[in-house]
Amino acid sequence: MVSKNLTVKNPSGLHLRPAGVLSQTAMKFKADVTIESGEKKINAKSVLNVMAAGIKCGTDITLICDGEDEAAALETIANAIESGLGE
């Protein structure tokens, strides 16, 4: 299991479009991908779960990847979040 602390940079947080990009990116990997935000643990492969979490701009999150391609998943998804998920 690998993890990385990140800050959400999207001006409007993880609404539909960036949540979709995040989930599509996570689904490319076999590893389990979880986002921790405060007390919440969110399955990053579920667009609805990511959106329902209500993660806003400036929120500190922990990205956790666990599985056979966890290192590649962590690097790719962390880069996507850091670059603003296409926004």
Side-chain angles (χ1 to χ4, degrees):
M1 180 169 60
V2 293
S3 65
K4 183 172 186 175
N5 294 323
L6 302 161
T7 301
V8 175
K9 297 180 180 177
N10 297 64
S12 51
L14 295 182
H15 61 90
L16 181 58
R17 191 173 25 253
V21 172
L22 175 63
S23 295
Q24 286 177 345
T25 304
M27 282 189 261
K28 294 177 183 176
F29 298 97
K30 293 178 182 174
D32 292 329
V33 182
T34 306
I35 296 171
E36 286 186 357
S37 176
E39 299 291 315
K40 300 175 188 167
K41 291 188 180 206
I42 303 130
N43 175 2
K45 294 184 180 185
S46 168
V47 177
L48 293 176
N49 286 350
V50 174
M51 285 178 40
I55 298 172
K56 300 186 181 344
C57 181
T59 302
D60 292 322
I61 61 171
T62 303
L63 178 65
I64 303 165
C65 300
D66 187 18
E68 64 183 79
D69 53 0
E70 61 189 25
L74 182 74
E75 182 179 347
T76 302
I77 299 166
N79 287 341
I81 293 170
E82 289 169 341
S83 68
L85 294 164
E87 288 197 339

